[in-house]
Amino acid sequence: MVAQPWPGVEASWSRYLHVPSTAAVDPAGTVHKWHVLDNAADLAAAGLEPVGTLLCVHGNPTWSYLWRSLLAAAAEAPGGPWRVVAVDQLDMGFSARTGVFRRLADRVGDLGDLTTALDLQGPVVTVGHDWGGLISLGWALAHQDQLAAVVLTNTAVHPAGYSLPPALTLALHPAVHRWGTTTSATFLRVTHSLAQPVLAPTVRAAFMAPYLSTARRAGVGNFVADIPAAEDHPSRQALDAIAEGLRTLSVPALLLWGPKDPVFSDRYLRDLLGRLPHADVHRFEGASHLVQEDRDIATPAFAWLAGKGLVRTLPAGSGTAGSGMAGDGGPARATAPAVPVSNPATFRPMLAELDSRRGDRSPAVVDMAPPAGAPSSLSWAELAERVDDLAAGLAQLGVSAGHRVNLLVPPGIELTTLIYACLRLGAVIVVADAGLGTSGLSRAIRGAGPDYLVGIDRALVGARLYSWPGIRIAAGGGASSGAGASAAAAAKRRLLGAAASVPGLLASGRALRAAGQAAPFPEPAPDADAAVLFTSGSTGPAKGVVYTHRQLAAMRDTLAATYNLRAGTALVAGFAPFALLGPALGATSVTPDMDVTAPRTLTASALADAAAAVSATTVFASPAALANVLATADALRPEQRRALDAVELMLSAGAPIPEPLLARVQELVPAAAVHTPYGMTEALPVTDIDLAGIRAAGSGNGVCVGTAVAGAQVAIAVLDGGGVPSDAPSTTPWATGEILVRAPHVKDRYDRLWITQTHSASIPGWHRTGDVGQLDDAGRLWVQGRLGHVISTAEGIRTPVAAEHAAASVGAVVRAAVVGVGPAGAQVPVAIVETTPPAVKAGPAPLEVSEAVRSAVLQDTGMELAAVVAIAQLPTDIRHNSKIDRTALAAWASRLLSGAKAGRP
């Protein structure tokens, strides 16, 4: 039977072994016939000595075929080769049908019998999936003398506190169990259908091959029946022992996860992280239960093993698979000097400024649109007391250092208080704004896995509807009015599933402190996690970015040093992060009356009113917000204009800003220095330039964003002819490449995205931004787009930003994007433009517009456009409403120009 070819499997891997059984359920002297996929023969034939063994254990209802990608990559793995032994468990795959009901403890023992027969030598890494993950961990705990590491993919070790997933509950039902799992192939078909994308017919057939009859599916049904859902289940004791024993494992661990899995969802990942807190994690957004089929797990798994030092030393000059390293290409370059490491003794906690101003009665934070019943302003003394009261209340509820607290509250006094109360406790704030949209926000929250979730009513409705994790706390008024709430409000809070409310926690914390019963607040460790901030999602699914207390403090200090922000500064923040840093900077901060998830809702009047409320000296707003401010400036009253006349510093960032727009902003705030910092969620800010500097730089290939801010350094990883960045930093002028950043305020890591983090840090000491640019002779940085947006033509690589600016200079063009259409190495540039008046239907731009755009782009950049397409509105990210999704546009333009149904970009 095993002679039949299966896609992706070498015939030499398939072998049988006869293994004596020690299982109590088997009669004495029983010998079972096992089937495994094993590359040992191939390694021996090639004269290769493995550095260790990957022991791969499938779950139900798969078989060793699941691990074929690891077998295929093992011989040439970085630092390898590795031996891979992928087992077919007894009663599963092509191993023997024993005719005996085998429980969890039996299966762990069975695996031990097999490895004894195999006489595995050297270090062993267990690799498991589904219930095979639990069994592999049972083996790992019993063989710690050989154990080098554990790798787990979508598995579970304990159902405590959880109800079984609906699919398993149904499969266990007496009316369904035998038919669904054994007499029919329904359970197999449903499992195979979970693959994202759909399995190829030949692959699906291979997965079905061992289970073509009722007799051969008996193990599938028994596996389901052995799920220890109840405490009195016969396998519960073995489950508990493995689950608790897992806490004692200190070997490296890697968790590769498909978050769309309807069976082993992210809640099981969170449980595993509670037991293996040191584990590295990568969540493959969009992947499901069969993560091995949905994504490449072999490349990261072997790269991880190499990075953990579990393999022999790589030869000098060797690269690591999946690291993103490549030949340097391009011109000879200078190496960027190192940035001095910040002195740990200089660390000043984020709450230091607030604590130092406990007696200050001047305004600290002002809310232009407070919730009903909430204060519109707090002094420094009031804010300090409120933060401590809320921290005491949260601690009483159970929040402690390391707990993640998701804050779904609009910027203002309440959010500011929550943030600093969490920092006071050492809890980790999770900030994913509603601007990500419902699906993006759901992905972010599930990925971060908060222990607590604080939200306004709308957010709590979403938490209930989408099953967002975390104990819920109601914010604001209405249903969350706390002590003394009306019966209707209390009922609403219960309906929303809130365990507590912010007003109630404030009151209880205040009472505890007044009675002297509040526990002293711990001093958070400088290098402990402080925040998980999410990117805008403009370049793919939003990514969680982890900052430590030290890194947040470094961000505060960088902003203070770069822009002279200090005690006495009054800040209008049309961008949430700056409002939240206000108390740490010692700056009075005010959030204008606007929808922070829609920057274009900021009007000139709302901005001026906020400035007047605090006698603002500094304003921060996104380019999209400023565009609407300018569009509504005619409505300003004289006193509102006077408030803006007093502004000394105007900051705007989030997307490239054309000089004409900044010039109009300068007219609105005539006394202000107008600056456009360049940065990202991972490092804010990186460089800075003012309007005068932009004018002095003139036009060039991209957008000039100035020089590095205090404490930061910028370099370039030069692109080769194929658009691949090098693995070394360069400061050679005019060399185009990926922008690299190093600074004390660069993020600690991407959250639960080990692959992404490894790539971003593949040049030691530097963060790969994914942006493309070049340095000029004066050391100024010019941003030219994203690495994924580089156009790879037959003549070489081209970047889009300069061409986009040239296209946007045409009078009828509002905004423009230039993308590459066609295969890499033969792409042609296409301009997609928003016009005045807007295009009624997407398609070729009017002749006069097309000719003008082609001429402008050719004259300014030398780029010949293949087509000019008009569209009603370019797709942008929600948070900034200004970052254009060129990847989506390129795919859309390709469909449109090929004559296919294009749909929406």
Side-chain angles (χ1 to χ4, degrees), residues 385 388-390 392-393 396 483 503-519:
E385 284 298 304
D388 287 354
D389 288 345
L390 184 54
Q396 185 183 40
L505 294 174
L506 279 166
S508 63
R510 188 178 305 116
L512 284 170
R513 295 181 64 230
Q517 297 175 352

Side-chain angles (χ1 to χ4, degrees), residues 266-687:
D266 276 324
R267 66 183 184 179
Y268 296 100
L269 173 62
R270 294 192 295 273
D271 179 73
L272 281 168
L273 285 172
R275 301 169 193 278
L276 290 169
H278 63 285
D280 293 311
V281 182
H282 189 86
R283 297 172 69 258
F284 294 93
E285 283 294 350
S288 186
H289 182 66
L290 297 176
V291 64
Q292 299 87 342
E293 301 301 314
D294 298 350
R295 299 293 187 272
D296 170 19
I297 69 159
T299 300
F302 286 122
W304 178 80
L305 289 169
K308 290 297 179 183
L310 300 176
V311 298
R312 62 169 62 103
T313 304
L314 293 175
S318 294
T320 297
S323 68
M325 297 181 180
D328 47 64
R333 59 192 183 281
T335 300
V339 171
V341 177
S342 59
N343 183 357
T346 64
F347 171 71
R348 188 170 184 252
M350 288 289 287
L351 284 102
E353 185 68 26
L354 181 61
D355 288 340
S356 72
R357 299 179 69 172
R358 286 183 173 275
D360 190 338
R361 296 293 171 183
S362 64
V365 58
V366 176
D367 197 338
M368 298 302 293
S376 59
S377 68
L378 291 178
S379 69
W380 289 96
E382 290 169 329
L383 179 60
E385 284 298 304
R386 194 176 180 88
V387 165
D388 287 354
D389 288 345
L390 184 54
L394 287 168
Q396 185 183 40
L397 184 66
V399 179
S400 63
H403 278 147
R404 292 188 168 194
V405 183
N406 188 17
L407 303 177
L408 298 173
V409 180
I413 288 173
E414 190 167 36
L415 181 58
T416 301
T417 306
L418 280 161
I419 285 174
Y420 285 87
C422 289
L423 293 175
R424 175 77 78 198
L425 293 171
V428 183
I429 60 172
V430 178
V431 182
D433 62 64
L436 297 175
T438 301
S439 60
L441 186 61
S442 291
R443 281 195 302 266
I445 294 171
R446 292 194 185 102
D451 303 285
Y452 296 85
L453 184 150
V454 187
I456 57 175
D457 287 354
R458 184 174 61 181
L460 295 183
V461 169
R464 194 174 185 87
L465 182 62
Y466 299 108
S467 300
W468 293 339
I471 296 170
R472 297 171 201 157
I473 301 171
S480 55
S481 54
S486 67
K492 186 176 182 182
R493 182 176 129 190
R494 287 194 299 272
L495 181 64
L496 295 174
S501 70
V502 171
L505 294 174
L506 279 166
S508 63
R510 188 178 305 116
L512 284 170
R513 295 181 64 230
Q517 297 175 352
F521 299 126
E523 189 67 37
D527 297 313
D529 292 352
V532 181
L533 311 178
F534 276 84
T535 62
S536 67
S538 61
T539 57
K543 299 182 287 290
V545 177
V546 179
Y547 279 89
T548 64
H549 288 267
R550 189 188 306 280
Q551 290 156 347
L552 277 186
M555 182 191 299
R556 172 203 63 198
D557 296 342
T558 298
L559 288 167
T562 302
Y563 300 112
N564 196 27
L565 301 176
R566 61 198 183 283
T569 297
L571 171 67
V572 178
F575 185 57
F578 276 74
L580 307 179
L581 285 168
L585 289 162
T588 300
S589 56
V590 56
T591 303
D593 185 4
M594 64 177 293
D595 180 355
V596 293
T597 68
R600 287 181 176 176
T601 60
L602 180 62
T603 64
S605 293
L607 180 65
D609 288 344
V614 295
S615 300
T617 57
T618 303
V619 172
F620 188 101
S622 72
L626 286 181
N628 196 56
V629 165
L630 292 172
T632 57
D634 289 345
L636 288 171
R637 301 187 302 273
E639 65 272 18
Q640 290 175 319
R641 289 189 179 275
R642 286 194 294 273
L644 295 178
D645 288 345
V647 173
E648 299 171 3
L649 175 66
M650 170 66 79
L651 300 168
S652 186
I657 308 173
E659 186 274 338
L661 176 62
L662 286 178
R664 293 176 61 201
V665 172
Q666 182 71 84
E667 294 173 1
L668 189 66
V669 285
V674 180
H675 286 250
T676 63
Y678 159 72
M680 57 216 68
T681 307
E682 297 88 339
L684 183 69
V686 172
T687 66

Side-chain angles (χ1 to χ4, degrees), residues 659-754:
E659 186 274 338
L661 176 62
L662 286 178
R664 293 176 61 201
V665 172
Q666 182 71 84
E667 294 173 1
L668 189 66
V669 285
V674 180
H675 286 250
T676 63
Y678 159 72
M680 57 216 68
T681 307
E682 297 88 339
L684 183 69
V686 172
T687 66
D688 179 73
I689 193 169
D690 61 12
L691 179 56
I694 291 173
R695 288 169 171 164
S699 60
N701 187 11
V703 176
C704 184
V705 295
T707 54
V709 298
Q713 187 175 2
V714 175
I716 301 296
V718 180
L719 298 182
D720 65 15
V724 177
S726 72
D727 59 356
S730 166
T731 54
T732 301
W734 307 117
T736 293
E738 184 179 12
I739 298 170
L740 309 176
V741 180
R742 65 191 308 173
H745 61 281
V746 171
K747 53 86 176 157
D748 186 70
R749 66 190 185 278
Y750 287 111
D751 188 43
R752 301 175 184 177
L753 292 169
W754 181 85

Side-chain angles (χ1 to χ4, degrees), residues 174-250:
V176 175
H177 175 254
R178 179 166 169 75
W179 170 82
T181 63
T182 308
T183 60
S184 79
T186 300
F187 192 73
L188 285 106
R189 292 193 184 98
V190 170
T191 301
H192 300 161
S193 72
L194 297 177
Q196 303 281 336
V198 174
L199 296 177
T202 53
V203 172
R204 186 186 293 264
F207 273 116
M208 290 290 289
Y211 305 110
L212 296 179
S213 68
T214 296
R216 295 199 61 80
R217 290 191 290 266
V220 174
N222 290 347
F223 238 125
V224 172
D226 195 44
I227 296 172
E231 291 189 8
D232 60 352
H233 190 282
S235 287
R236 188 58 175 259
Q237 185 176 354
L239 173 78
D240 289 344
I242 295 171
E244 290 309 305
L246 193 54
R247 300 183 191 277
T248 68
L249 284 183
S250 58

